[in-house]
Amino acid sequence: QQNELNSFLWTIKRDPPSYFFGTIHVPYTRVWDFIPENSKKAFQQSHIVYFELDLTDPYTISALTSCQLLPQGENLQDVLPRDIYCRLKRHLEYVKLMMPSWMTPDQRGKGLYADYLFNAIAGNWERKRPVWVMLMVNSLTEVDIKSRGVPVLDLYLAQEAERLRKQTGAVEKVEEQCHPLNGLNFSQV
């Protein structure tokens, strides 16, 4: 059936069954309506849910933030070619200028301010490693800004699991995500 296709849900046949569901890091509202009922039902019926990372754990968020930073005493200006650094700085100034017009009335109604949002996304950018700055810049688009405040699918499911009092855990540690990205050399980035 159509509603069973492309569900990103795998069943591990055992008693009781286990499920493996592939998620993507986008606001859940962009994909929720396209997630088939069999996946939603498997989540509802589960008692234990494991995620890639525990995005509800303050330590995880803190460790993710720390791993993005250049070694102590280094700044992005020290590691990027001058022309790229200057282009990046101008682009971030443009984004900061445009951000108020990119925000939705709903975001403003929830008390989100453009300056706060910019700092939440791009704050301390001059101390971040180039790979993380690249990922940050890719998320500084009008479409992405309009969806800020909506949790990504992983976080939404984790919040739902907590709300439903399911046991949760993580299959990876921050370091397992951080070290491979930080190991890319400059030409790869």
Side-chain angles (χ1 to χ4, degrees):
Q1 290 184 356
Q2 181 61 32
N3 69 350
E4 301 288 323
L5 296 176
N6 300 320
S7 68
F8 303 101
L9 180 74
W10 288 266
T11 302
I12 302 166
K13 292 182 178 164
R14 54 180 294 258
D15 190 25
S18 291
Y19 301 97
F20 186 79
F21 179 67
T23 60
I24 59 174
H25 301 286
V26 298
Y28 85 93
T29 52
R30 286 194 198 167
V31 294
W32 191 251
D33 292 342
F34 303 100
I35 295 174
E37 285 305 312
N38 67 337
S39 300
K40 292 176 181 176
K41 185 177 175 185
F43 177 79
Q44 288 296 326
Q45 291 177 344
S46 69
H47 301 289
I48 304 169
V49 184
Y50 280 83
F51 297 95
E52 185 178 8
L53 291 173
D54 184 356
L55 297 177
T56 63
D57 179 13
Y59 168 78
T60 300
I61 303 308
S62 173
L64 274 172
T65 301
S66 295
C67 89
Q68 296 178 18
L69 298 178
L70 287 163
Q72 191 64 35
E74 282 188 37
N75 289 309
L76 197 56
Q77 190 171 359
D78 302 327
V79 297
L80 284 182
R82 181 165 168 67
D83 62 324
I84 293 177
Y85 177 81
C86 290
R87 282 177 51 208
L88 173 62
K89 190 171 182 174
R90 280 193 309 272
H91 179 69
L92 291 176
E93 288 166 358
Y94 164 78
V95 168
K96 189 171 186 173
L97 182 68
M98 294 304 296
M99 202 173 266
S101 68
W102 291 351
M103 292 183 66
T104 66
D106 188 50
Q107 287 171 317
R108 287 189 205 90
K110 290 179 180 171
L112 272 179
Y113 294 97
D115 282 346
Y116 170 80
L117 194 53
F118 181 83
N119 287 330
I121 299 167
N124 209 18
W125 68 270
E126 293 184 85
R127 289 274 304 118
K128 290 185 178 183
R129 294 172 185 266
V131 67
W132 297 100
V133 172
M134 177 193 67
L135 294 171
M136 175 195 76
V137 168
N138 286 339
S139 72
L140 286 170
T141 65
E142 183 173 358
V143 170
D144 283 343
I145 296 304
K146 285 183 184 308
S147 65
R148 283 296 170 144
V150 176
V152 294
L153 182 58
D154 302 44
L155 179 57
Y156 173 74
L157 290 172
Q159 291 169 336
E160 278 296 290
E162 280 190 350
R163 186 181 69 78
L164 296 169
R165 301 191 194 292
K166 296 178 184 290
Q167 183 181 333
T168 62
V171 296
E172 287 186 7
K173 295 181 177 141
V174 170
E175 299 75 25
E176 293 171 306
Q177 288 213 341
C178 211
H179 292 310
L181 284 174
N182 287 347
L184 296 173
N185 66 43
F186 187 75
S187 67
Q188 291 169 316
V189 173

